Amino acid sequence: MRRLLASLAPLCLLAQTPESSAVLRVLGNSHMEKLVTEWERGFRGLHPEVQFRNRYLGTANAIAGLYLETADLALMGRETIPMEDIAYRRVFPDGPLGLTVATASFDVPLETFAFAIFVNRRNPIERLTLRQLQAIFGCEPAAPGCASIQTWGQLGLTGEWSTRPIRLHGYQIDSGLGRFFQQTVLDGSRKWNCAFTEYANLYAPGGRLLANAGDLIVRAVAQDDAAIGFCGYGHATAADKALPLAAAADARYVPLTRENVANRSYPLTRSVYIYANRHPANPMVFEFLRYVLSAQGQRDVTRQDVYLPLPDGFVRNEREKLRD
């Protein structure tokens, strides 16, 4: 833990002396800048005295800003990871307040996006359940009496497909993308199928992006009839198809469309978040969060072209968290 705090020490240099409630300090995910700009514009219409001090240093810095008290609002393009939570609770044992503030994009690469399950277009499989995905990508039974799935025949395909092995592709398991899949599909299990091939972005020595991981994943699926992979729909090619998914065998199979991501019926829909301290010194923190989760705040989401507003029922549940 001392090493972790030492590695975060540079953030201490950014600490500010106590300021009035007229200043809100925002830290975190740079991809949310357009979205936050819309919220700030709307909020200042109600509170013209408030100024925002924004530092878009990435999701990885966001939670540290809260427990080092250099930020009031932490922007997160993914869920928190265990080390972030452990470090935070060393300072504030109750843990941070986390709010889902918008739905992920449908098909915008490099942003927080819903996950597609891709197979080769020549593959006759038409749909899958999350339980089947767990049995495919995991290395232990998905449920008592349920064996892991290694071949396409175990999913009901016949003829030449009945014995063909399933080859698996996806994001690195220790990335935020891999962790989302692990939590949502593998029920938090870290026991992945040993045949799983992981992908990360490829960079030149100077830092120039050579290939996006999502492009590498769909390319692997396009070149192999028996492959399956998960990544963002924005990387889709004519050689791949995204499968409709069901949360359970008796549930409706939902195709990956913008509408189904927006209404959050698609099982692998993701979110973006704002975290805050549960007892902020600045009363404007909760005022701003109430605005974000208001009808006007969610209409502001439609003014940018990446993220989607929350459905009414979903946003009401998030508002309840501000009453605790």
Side-chain angles (χ1 to χ4, degrees):
M1 185 54 64
R2 289 179 179 174
R3 290 183 182 177
L4 173 65
L5 293 175
S7 69
L8 294 171
L11 280 175
C12 294
L13 300 177
L14 298 172
Q16 306 295 322
T17 57
E19 298 184 72
S20 73
S21 61
V23 175
L24 281 173
R25 301 166 299 168
V26 180
L27 175 67
N29 183 16
S30 61
H31 296 285
M32 293 172 67
E33 182 173 3
K34 283 186 180 180
L35 179 58
V36 172
T37 297
E38 295 297 336
W39 283 330
E40 291 176 357
R41 182 182 295 116
F43 189 69
R44 278 196 296 263
L46 301 173
H47 299 278
E49 75 282 7
V50 173
Q51 299 297 315
F52 290 87
R53 182 166 297 149
N54 300 333
R55 289 172 292 149
Y56 296 105
L57 303 179
T59 290
N61 291 296
I63 294 297
L66 295 181
Y67 63 75
L68 294 174
E69 299 186 273
T70 62
D72 301 304
L73 299 163
L75 309 178
M76 300 283 289
R78 54 161 173 78
E79 299 74 17
T80 57
I81 60 176
M83 184 56 70
E84 289 168 335
D85 190 62
I86 290 170
Y88 185 95
R89 289 174 186 272
R90 288 294 181 95
V91 182
F92 299 108
D94 289 344
L97 171 67
L99 297 172
T100 299
V101 293
T103 299
S105 72
F106 160 53
D107 63 351
V108 184
L110 306 181
E111 307 291 347
T112 302
F113 43 73
F115 276 11
I117 300 297
F118 284 114
V119 295
N120 190 285
R121 190 161 292 279
R122 292 186 292 272
N123 190 322
I125 198 77
E126 293 295 333
R127 60 187 190 178
L128 288 171
T129 68
L130 293 191
R131 186 63 72 188
Q132 287 172 322
L133 285 176
Q134 186 184 48
I136 292 168
F137 284 90
C139 71
E140 61 184 2
C146 176
S148 61
I149 295 175
Q150 304 290 332
T151 68
W152 289 106
Q154 290 175 274
L155 292 168
L157 299 191
T158 60
E160 64 174 312
W161 286 91
S162 62
T163 58
R164 296 191 70 175
I166 301 173
R167 288 183 277 274
L168 307 98
H169 306 271
Y171 294 113
Q172 280 187 315
I173 62 177
D174 61 353
S175 67
L177 298 167
R179 290 189 189 95
F180 171 81
F181 194 88
Q182 179 176 293
Q183 293 299 317
T184 307
V185 176
L186 303 187
D187 287 342
S189 171
R190 296 177 60 85
K191 297 181 179 180
W192 290 73
N193 189 318
C194 293
F196 175 63
T197 302
E198 305 173 55
Y199 294 82
N201 293 346
L202 294 180
Y203 294 93
R208 180 172 59 89
L209 179 66
L210 296 176
N212 183 277
D215 291 332
L216 298 174
I217 292 165
V218 295
R219 185 184 307 168
V221 174
Q223 295 172 348
D224 182 359
D225 290 0
I228 187 171
F230 64 87
C231 66
Y233 190 68
H235 300 285
T237 73
D240 307 289
K241 64 179 180 181
L243 298 179
L245 302 177
D250 58 351
R252 180 171 70 95
Y253 286 84
V254 182
L256 176 52
T257 65
R258 181 184 176 88
E259 179 183 5
N260 290 334
V261 172
N263 64 31
R264 301 182 74 94
S265 62
Y266 180 70
L268 296 185
T269 294
R270 296 171 65 215
S271 305
V272 292
Y273 306 88
I274 295 180
Y275 283 78
N277 292 329
R278 291 186 179 275
H279 306 288
N282 187 341
M284 278 297 168
V285 171
F286 275 23
E287 285 299 312
F288 179 74
L289 293 174
R290 290 187 186 96
Y291 175 81
V292 166
L293 294 172
S294 70
Q296 180 59 54
Q298 288 301 298
R299 282 195 294 272
D300 290 344
V301 179
T302 65
R303 302 182 194 279
Q304 49 79 60
D305 54 4
V306 177
Y307 304 110
L308 304 169
L310 300 171
D312 289 343
F314 196 96
V315 77
R316 281 195 297 271
N317 291 335
E318 294 303 297
R319 285 192 204 120
E320 287 296 319
K321 298 178 183 178
L322 292 172
R323 297 181 181 179
D324 294 343

